Amino acid sequence: MNIFRLSGDVCHLVAIIILFLKIWRSKSCAGISGKSQVLFALVFTTRYLDLFTSFISVYNTIMKVVYLVLAYATVSLIFFRFRNSYDSESDSFRVELLLVPVAGLSFLENYAFTPLEILWTFSIYLESVAILPQLFMITKTGEAESITTHYLFFLGLYRVLYLANWVWRYHVEGFFDQIAVVSGVVQTIFYCDFFYLYFTRVLRGSGKMSLPMPV
């Protein structure tokens, strides 16, 4: 464990809590992509199956359980408790365009051809693109509430800090996880435009982040 990994975990947790509280307090999931949240729940499910097979640390176990509980709680709020506020028309990204290639790649590029390893690899690849339905939804509607952008900011910051974690581990421990690093770089790239808009518009006091409407 190093400061980058710990900070990344905190940012990840903060992002998830921000989103959950936003939906719970406003009693609305307007502007939130249910498809992205389902994909993230799938990421946690396929990644943390080792909860039943191995023990790393109390911290590790608690964080995995918290991520799983919050992910499914958020999905439940979107599709059940506050489903009347869910904008399914705008949340129209075709997730099969992500799931099929990711599933195929996880069978082709992995560290061991075993069920748990393939599912872990699937989760890494899927996490790198799971935010795309949310970004697509924001682009389609043309704007995002500030609280939603805060969620995305902390989610993106989590990925940046994890890249720093991999650099640290490579130089200090000589450890390099090619699958995790490449996937992390891809995911971080998706956030680049968002980071620019976040710092230039949201932090200047605008209630919402406006984006150019797609042609």
Side-chain angles (χ1 to χ4, degrees):
M1 180 69 70
N2 57 68
I3 187 62
F4 300 112
R5 167 73 182 274
L6 182 60
S7 299
D9 287 346
V10 170
C11 287
H12 196 186
L13 184 59
V14 167
I16 297 173
I17 292 175
I18 284 175
L19 182 66
F20 180 83
L21 292 179
K22 182 268 182 190
I23 298 173
W24 182 261
R25 290 177 175 175
S26 65
K27 294 180 170 52
S28 170
C29 55
I32 303 300
S33 169
K35 291 183 177 181
S36 271
Q37 296 311 307
V38 169
L39 292 180
F40 280 123
L42 183 57
V43 165
F44 295 139
T45 302
T46 53
R47 182 175 302 172
Y48 298 148
L49 289 173
D50 63 349
L51 276 170
F52 303 101
T53 62
S54 61
F55 176 80
I56 299 175
S57 68
V58 173
Y59 169 84
N60 185 272
T61 299
I62 290 175
M63 292 299 283
K64 288 178 179 179
V65 172
V66 169
Y67 286 149
L68 282 166
V69 170
L70 286 176
Y72 280 99
T74 301
V75 169
S76 176
L77 291 182
I78 294 173
F79 291 103
F80 296 99
R81 190 175 183 90
F82 304 125
R83 62 182 180 277
N84 291 333
S85 62
Y86 172 53
D87 186 3
S88 58
E89 183 176 342
S90 296
D91 193 15
S92 57
F93 191 95
R94 296 178 58 187
V95 294
E96 65 269 22
L97 297 179
L98 303 178
L99 289 172
V100 174
V102 163
L105 187 59
S106 64
F107 276 93
L108 296 174
E109 291 292 335
N110 52 67
Y111 292 129
F113 202 76
T114 61
L116 282 181
E117 189 65 30
I118 290 174
L119 288 171
W120 177 85
T121 305
F122 172 83
S123 76
I124 297 297
Y125 292 149
L126 182 60
E127 186 183 18
S128 69
V129 295
I131 198 62
L132 288 182
Q134 179 67 66
L135 296 178
F136 178 81
M137 187 177 187
I138 292 176
T139 302
K140 188 173 183 179
T141 59
E143 63 181 21
E145 294 181 3
S146 60
I147 193 68
T148 304
T149 62
H150 296 330
Y151 157 72
L152 290 172
F153 171 75
F154 278 101
L155 206 58
L157 184 58
Y158 141 68
R159 290 315 314 174
V160 172
L161 288 168
Y162 254 60
L163 287 180
N165 163 63
W166 294 125
V167 173
W168 172 273
R169 294 193 65 184
Y170 177 74
H171 285 287
V172 175
E173 304 172 15
F175 178 82
F176 180 75
D177 187 331
Q178 180 177 331
I179 291 176
V181 171
V182 172
S183 298
V185 169
V186 170
Q187 187 176 1
T188 304
I189 289 173
F190 289 139
Y191 285 96
C192 287
D193 284 344
F194 168 79
F195 280 143
Y196 172 76
L197 292 172
Y198 183 84
F199 283 110
T200 58
R201 299 186 185 184
V202 177
L203 294 186
R204 289 184 177 180
S206 175
K208 293 184 176 181
M209 183 177 73
S210 299
L211 299 172
M213 293 292 287
V215 178

